[in-house]
């Protein structure tokens, strides 16, 4: 069973930065599409950023473009989300997920049926 573990959340003031990390227990065809999602209280889950470990293709939701950056570690079993210029509206539980999808679908996938972590809380105060 693939395990996914997030870390790096915390509380910061607006304008600050955080880096989230995600460790996936295997780097394989089954986990080639990886992504970050977030869910604020009372809101639906939102796809924040995705990256495909084979093609390198990335996706960002419009609200984080230019502020967040997704990247893979050297082993491709670790994924990072560098979050700069944080805003109060970025406050949410952030989840890491991995699934087997081709590059074009990785950008739009809901990751339903994939492997998910338990989440890490990010709180941005004004």
């Amino acid at each position: 069973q693939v395990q996914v573990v997030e870390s790096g959340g915390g509380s910061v003031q607006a304008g600050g930065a955080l880096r989230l990390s995600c460790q996936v227990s295997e780097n394989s065809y089954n986990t080639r599409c990886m992504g970050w999602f977030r869910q604020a209280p009372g809101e639906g889950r939102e796809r924040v950023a995705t990256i495909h470990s084979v093609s390198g293709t990335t996706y960002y939701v419009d609200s984080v473009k230019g502020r967040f950056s997704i990247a893979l570690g050297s082993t491709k079993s670790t994924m990072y989300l560098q979050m700069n210029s944080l805003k109060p509206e970025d406050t949410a539980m952030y989840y890491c997920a991995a699934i087997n999808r081709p590059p074009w679908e990785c950008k739009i996938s809901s990751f339903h049926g994939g492997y998910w972590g338990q989440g890490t809380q990010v709180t941005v105060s004004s």
Side-chain angles (χ1 to χ4, degrees):
Q1 178 70 12
V2 175
Q3 294 184 335
V4 179
V5 179
E6 306 97 337
S7 62
S11 297
V12 295
Q13 291 190 328
L18 284 172
R19 189 176 82 153
L20 304 184
S21 298
C22 172
Q23 183 69 44
V24 180
S25 62
E26 71 175 57
N27 171 27
S28 70
Y29 201 73
N30 290 331
T31 59
R32 57 182 174 151
C33 170
M34 299 175 71
W36 290 97
F37 290 73
R38 66 186 179 186
Q39 188 166 18
E43 301 289 331
R45 185 177 295 174
E46 177 182 48
R47 185 189 313 105
V48 176
T50 65
I51 187 166
H52 198 272
S53 66
V54 177
S55 69
T57 303
T58 60
Y59 159 86
Y60 297 93
V61 67
D62 285 347
S63 60
V64 308
K65 286 180 179 178
R67 300 189 298 122
F68 290 12
S69 179
I70 191 170
L72 293 173
S74 57
T75 63
K76 297 187 177 181
S77 61
T78 304
M79 179 176 64
Y80 304 99
L81 186 68
Q82 178 66 42
M83 306 186 294
N84 298 327
S85 303
L86 282 161
K87 303 176 180 180
E89 51 264 44
D90 294 318
T91 295
M93 185 70 79
Y94 282 70
Y95 299 90
C96 171
I99 198 168
N100 175 13
R101 292 290 185 270
W104 68 268
E105 193 173 350
C106 189
K107 297 181 178 182
I108 62 173
S109 175
S110 66
F111 286 60
H112 178 69
Y115 307 102
W116 288 81
Q118 293 299 307
T120 185
Q121 178 69 37
V122 172
T123 302
V124 185
S125 58
S126 58

